[in-house]
Amino acid sequence: MNIVYGSELSERMNQELAAKVAALTGRKPRLAVILVGEDPASQIYVRSKEKACHKVGIEAETFLLPAESREVEVAGLIERLNEDPAVDGILLQLPLPKGLDKDKLIDKIAAEKDVDGLTSINAGRLANGLSGHVPCTPLGVIDLLEEMGCDFSGKHAVIVGRTRLVGLPLIHLLLKKNCTVTVCHSRTQDLPAVCRQADILVTAVGKARMFTKDYIKEGVYAVDVGISRVDGKICGDLDFDNIKELCAGITPMPKGTGPMTIARLLRNTWQAYCWREGYDQ
Ligand code: NAP
């Protein structure tokens, strides 16, 4: 059993990045974060992203818009940031207040500044094997599996969850690693039996400790993306304490995929900066 902490791996990645940013002689990379409304969880996420940027020397600025903003106003801000030469990355914090079309607004972000990798252009590039920004959480999942020492080629990877944020991009990343990929969702029949076939299991559901021993094959590499709260404490999809001995590698929740998502956001912002400035990464 190899418990891999995203909190430790992300720290190493962030230190490496901080050294690269510190060595710059010109302007620093800059991330613009747009927060519409006052959702308390989003406020916490945005603050932690800002703090992480500052820690590695990336400049970050949050643009706060009132919850009742019209779509045209949010789109106007995105367009202004698209054109601002000092801005390398733009992140639209989700979820958006009701009445705003998330998909339409995300697609307003210039693909080269879309550091969340969520625009249709970047999703299409990933699906077609072309270079572009890739969503941060799936990239962090791959980092964690690599850190576990997982040998991907020919392995059966089962992903539970099929959203644009996690499951869909992960299909392409795992295929690129020569895995055989199965994607499950709420209509999948006999989910435990499918999961028991997995050499690699990635759970992105959001149901506390759902994945018990019944879902696990001995020797699996398991990465927990799901986040729930139980009695005020953050909890993952994996029934960690009861399955960890069976796994060749496993991530905890918290201290697993969360910090990796932020580390990858910083990397994507650095990547956007390097592409724009013509630097080697
Ligand atoms: P989401 O919009 O919450 O959707 C959940 C996914 O799980 C859907 O694809 C859904 O299937 C599937 N699902 C729901 N119940 C299921 C069941 N009983 N059996 C099998 N599949 C089921 O997804 P998301 O935005 O990708 O987020 C997933 C989880 O990851 C959430 O807990 C979220 O908070 C967390 N998250 C964590 C990070 C991180 O950094 N750690 C980042 C992003 C998200 P259908 O498509 O059929 O509805």
Side-chain angles (χ1 to χ4, degrees):
M1 176 205 20
N2 181 9
I3 302 176
V4 171
Y5 288 88
S7 46
E8 290 171 9
L9 177 57
S10 63
E11 192 56 39
R12 292 207 302 276
M13 287 171 62
N14 293 347
Q15 277 173 13
E16 248 175 56
L17 180 57
K20 290 181 182 175
V21 176
L24 292 174
T25 50
R27 73 172 186 92
K28 301 290 183 198
R30 188 174 184 81
L31 175 69
V33 180
I34 304 172
L35 176 59
V36 190
E38 285 163 10
D39 176 53
S42 295
Q43 286 176 334
I44 293 171
Y45 287 136
V46 164
R47 269 200 298 274
S48 64
K49 287 169 189 172
E50 254 189 348
K51 210 170 127 195
C53 280
H54 292 144
K55 230 173 139 185
V56 298
I58 291 177
E59 293 172 357
E61 185 175 5
T62 301
F63 294 81
L64 298 170
L65 293 178
E68 53 283 357
S69 299
R70 289 177 303 136
E71 208 162 278
V72 65
E73 290 166 328
V74 185
L77 173 59
I78 293 173
E79 273 153 23
R80 189 157 64 75
L81 295 169
N82 281 343
E83 279 156 28
D84 186 340
V87 171
D88 300 290
I90 303 172
L91 185 155
L92 180 62
Q93 183 64 40
L94 303 175
L96 293 175
K98 280 200 184 91
L100 295 177
D101 185 334
K102 162 180 80 112
D103 298 330
K104 214 163 127 191
L105 286 169
I106 285 172
D107 274 340
K108 294 273 179 212
I109 299 173
E112 67 275 14
K113 295 192 179 186
D114 166 33
V115 285
D116 250 349
L118 293 176
T119 57
S120 303
I121 290 181
N122 279 318
R125 283 184 180 161
L126 177 63
N128 288 343
L130 304 172
S131 74
H133 290 300
V134 176
C136 306
T137 304
L139 284 174
V141 168
I142 299 292
D143 293 331
L144 287 162
L145 287 165
E146 282 175 348
E147 184 71 7
M148 285 175 191
C150 170
D151 168 21
F152 294 87
S153 187
K155 296 285 187 298
H156 185 187
V158 175
I159 305 165
V160 191
R162 55 173 166 179
T163 65
R164 275 166 66 186
L165 201 58
V166 189
L168 291 183
L170 203 45
I171 297 171
H172 302 292
L173 295 178
L174 288 165
L175 278 178
K176 208 169 157 194
K177 293 261 187 200
N178 295 319
C179 289
T180 302
V181 183
T182 300
V183 188
C184 303
H185 44 78
S186 64
R187 312 292 169 88
T188 298
Q189 290 186 8
D190 201 353
L191 184 63
V194 182
C195 291
R196 279 197 302 272
Q197 294 172 24
D199 305 308
I200 295 169
L201 178 65
V202 182
T203 58
V205 176
K207 292 212 161 90
R209 301 188 197 107
M210 169 178 169
F211 294 84
T212 57
K213 275 184 177 170
D214 200 25
Y215 293 70
I216 300 296
K217 174 170 84 175
E218 200 166 346
V220 69
Y221 293 92
V223 177
D224 199 344
V225 177
I227 302 174
S228 322
R229 266 180 198 278
V230 177
D231 301 329
K233 280 174 73 179
I234 288 179
C235 184
D237 289 344
L238 297 177
D239 184 13
F240 184 87
D241 288 337
N242 294 311
I243 65 167
K244 62 179 188 231
E245 302 295 340
L246 291 171
C247 300
I250 187 168
T251 60
M253 176 59 74
K255 297 191 175 174
T257 46
M260 290 306 298
T261 297
I262 295 192
R264 276 297 182 169
L265 170 69
L266 304 179
R267 285 276 165 133
N268 278 358
T269 306
W270 170 249
Q271 177 172 267
Y273 174 89
C274 292
W275 285 345
R276 295 183 67 235
E277 293 288 329
Y279 267 45
D280 268 347
Q281 290 179 55

